[in-house]
Amino acid sequence: MRSCIALSTLLLVAAPLGAQTIYTGFTQNPGCVVNGPNMCAQKIAPQGAALTARNAFFSNLTNNVGTQNLESFAPGLGAPLALDFGFAGIATLTGSGNIETEDPLDIIPFGRFAISGSQYYQTQAAGVANFSIVFSQLVAGFGFYGIDFGDVGGSVGLDLFGGGVKLNTLVIQPQVAPSGTFVPELNGGLRYWGVLFGSNTIDRVDFTLTGLDYDADVFAFDDLTVADASQVQSTVPEPATFALMGAGLLGVVVVRRRCRR
């Protein structure tokens, strides 16, 4: 009987544990009104699909979530960096990269730029480069803006960890230039990417950046947002989640009937 009870509980609990919702959108060259060669006459706020994805992500969060805009760091400062996310705790960023300040004479549509203020985190990959963010407490949501991904063949992916266990590996940037080519439409492109879990799940994120050995791709990150479980509002499960929960409940019924025989 004990084995039957244990199995039925496992079937019920296992259904929603892996549930996650990803919000992502890409906007081409959104950053400024150009006035002459390499001159930005007027900076433009995020717009298009990237902004839509960011707003959808934030619509499931309370207003007091912590966003790190990187403005408090000295320009040129490299890792490790202590990131403060308020109620959701702090995090430590380690690995390749450094704080950069945008050049008002040489930004969109010609490379990286900041979302809030004038600073962002920049790293490049000739081959493979990595950096990690380790959170001081488990968190249920993580999002950020990525700028200038993939225009010379680079790609970005991340590994999500909880309790030292890798939970998932995700590619966050499908618009990748063919190897050995340059795609102007991706130069300075803006992407928002965010993930929400149903419970406190993540305690570490590893970024893997890939580029060509002979022509490094450069990546920028800004407005990193973190939320713990109390800051994530209840959401309606997706159809796949409902189906998984239904399968779990059906398993419970079958197991209990067998146990009564």
Side-chain angles (χ1 to χ4, degrees), residues 42-63:
Q42 178 183 352
K43 188 172 178 179
I44 301 174
Q47 56 184 283
L51 179 60
T52 299
R54 182 265 183 199
N55 290 343
F57 176 74
F58 269 77
S59 70
N60 295 288
L61 304 176
T62 59
N63 293 327

Side-chain angles (χ1 to χ4, degrees), residues 8-29:
S8 64
T9 301
L10 176 63
L11 287 169
L12 181 60
V13 173
L17 282 182
Q20 65 182 27
T21 304
I22 296 174
Y23 302 85
T24 185
F26 178 79
T27 303
Q28 294 181 353
N29 297 335

Side-chain angles (χ1 to χ4, degrees), residues 157-172:
L158 45 72
D159 296 324
L160 307 176
F161 291 82
V165 177
K166 184 186 292 188
L167 304 174
N168 208 348
T169 298
L170 301 168
V171 176
I172 65 173

Side-chain angles (χ1 to χ4, degrees), residues 31 39-41 47 56 64 75-76 82 87 122 126 137-138 150 153-154 159 167 194 198 200 236 243 245 250 253:
M39 297 290 289
C40 182
Q47 56 184 283
N64 61 339
F87 187 78
Q122 175 175 292
Q137 61 191 51
L138 294 174
D159 296 324
L167 304 174
N200 279 347
V236 178
M245 292 176 67
L250 179 59
V253 174

